[in-house]
Amino acid sequence: MDRFEGYSAFVTGGARGIGAAVVRRLHSEGARVVVADVDDSAAREAFGGVRGVSVVRCDVGDAESVAAAFAYVREELGGLDVLVNNAFARDAMDSPRIEDDPDGGWREQLHVTLLGAVRCARAAMPLLAAADGRGAVVNIGSVNAEAYFGNHAYSAAKAGLASFTRTLAGEVAPRRVRVNQITPGTVATRAWESREEQLAALAARVYPLGRVGTPDDVAAAVAFLASSDAAWITGTTLRVDGGLLAVNTHFGEVLGQP
């Protein structure tokens, strides 16, 4: 299936984890993909030499870095059809008590996780609007935006991203650009390395479908929302969370429900 034959895509945070899975999925369906990551050496290690995939260093927290990355897109690809905002501030995800929660972590999350997506959307929009109705933005959110799972600043930034998804969808719809969001639950990435017992406990006790997610689960959903299969979908959030937000597993356990 080549839903993205002739398409160009830009994926932030594409060197590892969910971002890398998105790159592989879009490329496997025919897209030319630019992998944008602050760790461009890791991106080159993952995708160097793959025909149709190029790498550009991009720090979404830096406006000049974003501008340079999209200048590269215009020069190398000539246009853009799909933007996937996946990058976030990984180093600011500690979850202390609120009285011990410094401003620095909040600034980092808002500056990178939220404003990073805004910067990329701003830079990409003229290209997406010129894509003859194929332009699509897919933001990677989190269940943290909708319920308490710790990490105040990260959760607030992702909630802001959900709001931005809706408002941007309204603004750019007349230009035939669609904007949607994926809301993943727990996904087995490097953030969970050496925590296999915790992942197993989450799968058994918390997730109704009996497992945590994989990067490929998220990538499949991104590919759907970015494709013409979702041509009449904009401003929506698609939960890819194994039923986490819809079903209270512990409530059922207390009541003795199967």
Side-chain angles (χ1 to χ4, degrees):
M1 180 167 53
D2 293 324
R3 290 183 293 184
F4 298 104
E5 189 67 38
Y7 280 58
S8 297
F10 186 93
V11 181
T12 70
R16 303 180 179 90
I18 290 173
V22 170
V23 171
R24 290 191 295 268
R25 181 60 183 258
L26 296 180
H27 180 255
S28 74
E29 294 196 35
R32 294 182 299 169
V33 185
V34 174
V35 183
D37 204 293
V38 69
D39 188 353
D40 56 323
S41 61
R44 294 183 196 284
E45 183 177 346
F47 296 105
V50 178
R51 186 175 181 181
V53 177
S54 55
V55 173
V56 62
R57 186 185 185 280
C58 182
D59 177 0
V60 300
D62 183 293
E64 291 185 1
S65 180
V66 171
F70 280 92
Y72 172 86
V73 170
R74 287 189 294 272
E75 180 178 344
E76 293 297 316
L77 303 182
L80 188 69
D81 303 286
V82 177
L83 167 65
V84 181
N85 283 315
N86 170 69
F88 66 98
R90 184 181 304 276
D91 292 338
M93 286 188 64
D94 289 338
S95 186
R97 297 183 307 170
I98 189 61
E99 59 264 41
D100 302 319
D101 199 1
D103 284 356
W106 283 82
R107 281 193 294 267
E108 183 73 2
Q109 284 295 346
L110 296 174
H111 191 55
V112 175
T113 304
L114 177 55
L115 285 176
V118 174
R119 292 184 189 99
C120 289
R122 181 190 300 135
M125 198 52 60
L127 299 171
L128 296 173
D132 196 25
R134 302 196 308 193
V137 178
V138 183
N139 295 323
I140 306 300
S142 172
V143 292
N144 284 57
E146 299 189 40
Y148 173 67
F149 297 103
N151 298 310
H152 303 299
Y154 172 79
S155 300
K158 289 296 190 181
L161 185 61
S163 177
F164 177 61
T165 298
R166 295 186 293 270
T167 58
L168 184 62
E171 180 199 326
V172 301
R175 288 187 272 175
R176 299 172 65 201
V177 177
R178 298 180 301 104
V179 185
N180 293 292
Q181 178 170 299
I182 302 295
T183 296
T186 305
V187 177
T189 64
R190 65 174 178 147
W192 290 91
E193 288 176 359
S194 303
R195 299 166 68 186
E196 289 78 9
E197 290 185 5
Q198 287 182 315
L199 282 180
L202 287 172
R205 299 178 56 197
V206 175
Y207 281 90
L209 288 181
R211 68 174 178 88
V212 298
T214 69
D216 287 338
D217 290 324
V218 181
V222 171
F224 165 66
L225 286 178
S227 76
S228 61
D229 289 339
W232 209 46
I233 300 174
T234 196
T236 196
T237 293
L238 174 59
R239 294 176 179 174
V240 182
D241 69 350
L244 176 66
L245 293 175
V247 181
N248 190 321
T249 303
H250 287 305
F251 186 85
E253 289 177 354
V254 170
L255 295 181
Q257 296 172 344

